[in-house]
Amino acid sequence: MSSNAPIHSVLTEDRVFPPPADFAARMHGTVHVPDMDAYRAMHERSIRDPEGFWGDVAKGFRWFRPWDRVLEWNLPDAKWFVGGTTNACFNAVDRQVEDGHGDEVAILWEGEPMGAAGPEVRRITYRELRDEVARCAAALEELGVRKGDVVTIYMGMVPELAVAVLACARLGAPHSVIFGGFAPQAIVDRVQDADSKVIVTCDGGWRRGSVVPLKANVDAACERLPEVRHVLVLRRTGGEVAMKPGRDVWWHDAVAKQGTGRACEPVDAEHPLFLLYTSGSTGKPKGIVHTTGGYMVFTAATAHWTFNLVPGQGQVYFCTADIGWITGHSYILYGILPNRVPTLMYEGAPNFPAEDRFWSIVARHRVTHFYTAPTAIRSFMRWGDAHPARHDLTSLRVLGTVGEPINPEAWIWYHERIGGGRCPIVDTMWQTETGGHVITPLPGCTPTVPGSCTLPMFGVDAAVVDEHGKELPANAGGLLVIRKPWPAMLRGIRGDRQRFIDTYWSRVPGMYLAGDGARRDQRGCFWIMGRIDDVLNVSGHRLGTAEVESSLVGSKLVVEAAVVGMPHEIKGTGIAAFCVLHPDQAANAGEDLRRRLAEHVAKDIGAIARPDVIRFTNGLPKTRSGKIMRRLLRDIAAGKETTQDTTTLEDFGVLAKLRETDE
Ligand code: WT7
């Protein structure tokens, strides 16, 4: 950020939603953090005495050998539960069987295709999951996988994806899951970077009624990957695939024949559990490294607090993310399974066969916890209220969002149309690098304000600071940092120590730099203003792109907007807004509507925020994880030919369309 004096953020929102009075009753009388006094006391202790706090939490898990020391901190290297050995698969699965819960449902899975008799549904108990994971682990061993070897997983959202992930954890073989929407080149880059010799995949995956050719993509990648020794292939769609003799083996041959005796390998608490590639501010994806003990404890504990999970009470938890992203790793699998609440995995698209698919899932499975992304919520809004209204959503108790700041319009819609006005919304702020929630409300405890992720998680010393690490006063925009290590903090970027140091530990000395701009309001609640490079400096004033977007959407003329900076002769940075018009307005696209929108923003926020350029588009370019590709929009706004890697575009047609409408 520049040295310009910060201005007060203008995304103001005064509606405070206290925890619903009947929440405890709806939670069978159990609210883990019952009120703000309890929150404050726990948070204060967790920061003052992290070793005591996390040591107590970690006692609730199974360790093969106890730790000698809870934390060893040599900036920027944290080691948690030093000297302890454990296994993340054991704590997620085997332990439940040992404790007598083997017959409870661990994974509730629904396939995408809709037959005449409805979709395919599988209810996998902890015992069944344990046995299949043990068989898969034995099969991987037979294919040469040993402790420490990286296994690449490129599959659709089928139960066997969870099985493969947990089988790797069982062996102490770090997994590297690649989202099934990525193209072959992404597989090549990641397999090479990870030095991985075994890939697990499917013949194909169902997505919006079509088959994604997963195996063919792996084959294409493998032409450039002579080092890959084996590909384990699950049959899912039944399409024809080529099987290369000696290299490729079918899951139903290799796994089914194994016994269930393969036990969990005791691994050091700091043994790498997985790699997950994510994009940084430069082109090459970075392999974020997470280790076993701290990640295991933090994800399960945060899931327990943030969602108020209570086992044995009929709760059903549904996170709509893909396991190919950190959200799926932490809050479909590792964080949820130890909590003994069924985790619902859905295979396909939210709009197949119709736009009400999620609501039909919620109603049929009596889902109590629903966790999704703001971009999805905006799609639901666009598809119309009739879809949720058709279904019985009264089972819902807690709603969650993650991935980007949520605009208040979407928050309110979610609250009313999905939550029936009675479900707390947890706006969870975190990152691939943080492993789990770092700033979030706790349901039944934290008063919420639409658009704010509210308060820090236990053990997270979050702050908004200037370049020198000095904490800023209320409402001043600055850099989001975390001043102390927390258990699921990334341990590095694979093979790139310097990038790890440069990206997270250099700009503000001594603190973890999240890469987001933020402010804290007078109540201490955090407001994320977007990635640092998304914070605009217009005529020397700081402005969050999210704020302008929120205003545009608030006009009701626009359903979705993306705002980026563009070079401007006088202001330094001007504002370009890409807008998807409300269907009712589509026919009015033109100068007059542009003027009305610019006026609206100027009125809503101030003249400083008046967009310089407004462009209408049918859709915004997004990554597969639903993030708007701002760098691309910045290039388009600047009239530059883009040189960015576009392999993660959701829809290339969207980009082409933007180009066509250039005037
Ligand atoms: C970035 C991390 C963590 C899983 C999904 C994204 C943004 C994430 C929020 C939120 C405002 C959010 C931040 C962060 N972000 N959650 N609740 N409110 N912004 O993981 O791909 O690693 O992205 O997403 O900018 O830095 P990711």
Side-chain angles (χ1 to χ4, degrees):
M1 264 186 208
S2 77
S3 56
N4 290 314
I7 60 161
H8 286 209
S9 172
V10 282
L11 181 61
T12 50
E13 175 61 63
D14 299 323
R15 285 167 289 189
V16 177
F17 290 75
D22 57 352
F23 185 71
R26 300 162 57 70
M27 282 286 147
H28 335 285
T30 307
V31 181
H32 301 310
V33 186
D35 54 44
M36 287 304 287
D37 286 343
Y39 164 79
R40 273 187 288 265
M42 280 173 78
H43 190 263
E44 190 274 325
R45 176 186 177 218
S46 73
I47 300 302
R48 178 174 40 80
D49 177 22
E51 298 202 40
F53 182 88
W54 289 111
D56 285 350
V57 175
K59 281 179 199 147
F61 294 76
R62 298 294 168 77
W63 298 80
F64 298 117
R65 181 190 184 281
W67 57 89
D68 304 314
R69 235 193 121 179
V70 173
L71 171 63
E72 220 174 86
W73 176 225
N74 288 307
L75 193 129
D77 299 304
K79 288 186 179 158
W80 287 88
F81 310 110
V82 184
T85 66
T86 185
N87 186 293
C89 175
F90 189 86
N91 277 286
V93 185
D94 295 55
R95 157 198 195 159
Q96 315 289 14
V97 181
E98 284 195 3
D99 289 353
H101 305 294
D103 294 329
E104 295 177 20
V105 175
I107 296 178
L108 175 49
W109 176 82
E110 177 160 320
E112 187 192 79
M114 267 290 183
E120 187 186 348
V121 171
R122 289 171 63 186
R123 289 183 179 80
I124 301 162
T125 65
Y126 279 103
R127 181 173 295 105
E128 289 164 342
L129 183 60
R130 198 219 78 95
D131 289 351
E132 187 68 358
V133 169
R135 275 190 287 265
C136 180
L140 288 171
E141 268 188 322
E142 207 171 271
L143 296 177
V145 175
R146 297 289 173 269
K147 185 173 176 176
D149 295 347
V150 177
V151 175
T152 298
I153 301 176
Y154 179 73
M155 301 171 82
M157 281 286 284
V158 288
E160 289 79 2
L161 164 55
V163 169
V165 163
L166 293 163
C168 289
R170 195 172 193 85
L171 295 174
H175 49 77
S176 166
V177 182
I178 303 177
F179 173 57
F182 277 128
Q185 186 56 44
I187 306 175
V188 174
D189 295 343
R190 287 158 174 76
V191 166
Q192 279 173 346
D193 187 82
D195 196 19
S196 177
K197 307 279 192 288
V198 172
I199 303 179
V200 187
T201 190
C202 302
D203 53 354
W206 287 112
R207 184 81 193 171
R208 212 162 288 142
S210 319
V211 173
V212 181
L214 297 167
K215 175 60 164 65
N217 288 348
V218 169
D219 289 342
C222 282
E223 281 172 24
R224 280 161 275 170
L225 295 169
E227 63 271 31
V228 170
R229 287 200 213 110
H230 287 293
V231 180
L232 179 60
V233 188
L234 177 85
R235 183 175 279 152
R236 165 59 187 143
T237 55
E240 274 300 308
V241 292
M243 293 293 280
K244 188 172 170 182
R247 188 194 68 186
D248 300 350
V249 286
W250 284 109
W251 180 291
H252 52 261
D253 291 332
V255 176
K257 67 175 186 197
Q258 306 290 339
T260 58
R262 191 22 166 131
C264 290
E265 189 72 29
V267 299
D268 193 89
E270 283 299 332
H271 186 73
L273 178 61
F274 64 87
L275 297 174
L276 187 59
Y277 286 84
T278 183
S279 20
S281 40
T282 57
K284 188 176 173 275
K286 43 191 180 182
I288 302 299
V289 180
H290 281 289
T291 59
T292 303
Y295 176 85
M296 172 183 92
V297 169
F298 191 76
T299 54
T302 52
H304 168 88
W305 290 313
T306 302
F307 299 117
N308 204 56
L309 298 179
V310 184
Q313 298 289 349
Q315 292 186 343
V316 176
Y317 168 94
F318 176 23
C319 166
T320 69
D322 192 287
I323 289 174
W325 308 112
I326 192 69
T327 304
H329 282 58
S330 302
Y331 298 110
I332 293 179
L333 298 180
Y334 287 113
I336 308 303
L337 289 168
N339 277 294
R340 222 156 45 74
V341 165
T343 182
L344 194 153
M345 261 177 93
Y346 167 57
E347 179 179 35
N351 54 354
F352 187 87
E355 285 82 357
D356 64 345
R357 184 62 184 266
F358 283 174
W359 319 128
S360 137
I361 290 174
V362 168
R364 282 183 288 107
H365 298 290
R366 302 299 293 162
V367 169
T368 52
H369 292 68
F370 181 76
Y371 190 30
T372 196
T375 184
I377 296 168
R378 290 193 296 267
S379 293
F380 305 150
M381 292 170 75
R382 193 179 183 185
W383 292 337
D385 295 1
H387 295 295
R390 241 198 312 284
H391 296 276
D392 176 5
L393 306 182
T394 54
S395 58
L396 289 170
R397 300 279 183 275
V398 178
L399 302 177
T401 83
V402 58
E404 53 176 315
I406 183 166
N407 47 307
E409 289 69 25
W411 196 102
I412 296 287
W413 186 89
Y414 196 34
H415 180 69
E416 289 173 356
R417 300 300 130 121
I418 306 305
R422 66 180 189 276
C423 302
I425 295 180
V426 289
D427 175 352
T428 63
M429 161 63 194
W430 58 297
Q431 309 174 292
T432 304
E433 293 89 337
T434 68
H437 303 152
V438 288
I439 308 179
T440 179
L442 305 179
C445 172
T446 317
T448 53
V449 181
S452 168
C453 52
T454 72
L455 297 167
M457 175 49 72
F458 303 126
V460 176
D461 186 19
V464 176
V465 301
D466 67 15
E467 297 275 348
H468 310 290
K470 189 172 157 290
E471 194 158 6
L472 292 170
N475 288 315
L479 302 168
L480 177 65
V481 295
I482 303 176
R483 296 181 290 201
K484 283 196 165 73
W486 64 101
M489 182 177 100
L490 81 163
R491 300 300 196 264
I493 296 174
R494 179 174 168 104
D496 205 340
R497 174 82 181 165
Q498 199 54 48
R499 192 173 179 191
F500 172 61
I501 293 169
D502 292 347
T503 309
Y504 307 108
W505 303 101
S506 296
R507 197 158 153 191
V508 185
M511 302 177 187
Y512 169 82
L513 181 78
D516 284 291
R519 70 178 170 96
R520 286 188 94 157
D521 66 19
Q522 54 290 346
R523 286 181 297 264
C525 288
F526 285 81
W527 294 77
I528 306 301
M529 298 162 77
R531 300 293 299 185
I532 294 171
D533 41 9
D534 293 335
V535 176
L536 308 181
N537 191 323
V538 183
S539 304
H541 296 290
R542 198 170 286 163
L543 199 62
T545 50
E547 297 166 332
V548 184
E549 289 163 5
S550 175
S551 169
L552 285 162
V553 174
S555 74
K556 306 271 194 286
L557 302 169
V558 165
V559 289
E560 193 167 25
V563 166
V564 294
M566 56 182 273
H568 189 284
E569 256 187 79
I570 316 249
K571 303 178 179 180
T573 302
I575 299 172
F578 294 83
C579 299
V580 182
L581 284 174
H582 194 278
D584 296 344
Q585 293 295 329
N588 304 333
E591 256 333 293
D592 186 50
L593 196 55
R594 281 199 185 85
R595 252 194 310 275
R596 275 174 64 197
L597 280 168
E599 261 320 297
H600 170 84
V601 175
K603 271 223 182 86
D604 204 14
I605 303 179
I608 183 70
R610 186 197 305 269
D612 298 277
V613 170
I614 293 180
R615 293 188 183 188
F616 300 125
T617 168
N618 288 335
L620 295 169
K622 287 186 189 154
T623 63
R624 296 271 175 188
S625 63
K627 280 203 193 347
I628 294 166
M629 301 181 80
R630 291 171 192 285
R631 279 189 296 158
L632 212 59
L633 292 177
R634 268 196 289 275
D635 283 355
I636 295 168
K640 260 191 274 173
E641 201 37 55
T642 176
T643 53
Q644 315 284 1
D645 175 4
T646 57
T647 53
T648 55
L649 264 184
E650 172 76 53
D651 176 4
F652 286 91
V654 169
L655 179 58
K657 191 87 199 165
L658 281 167
R659 288 265 171 74
E660 277 163 28
T661 56
D662 274 1
E663 322 120 338

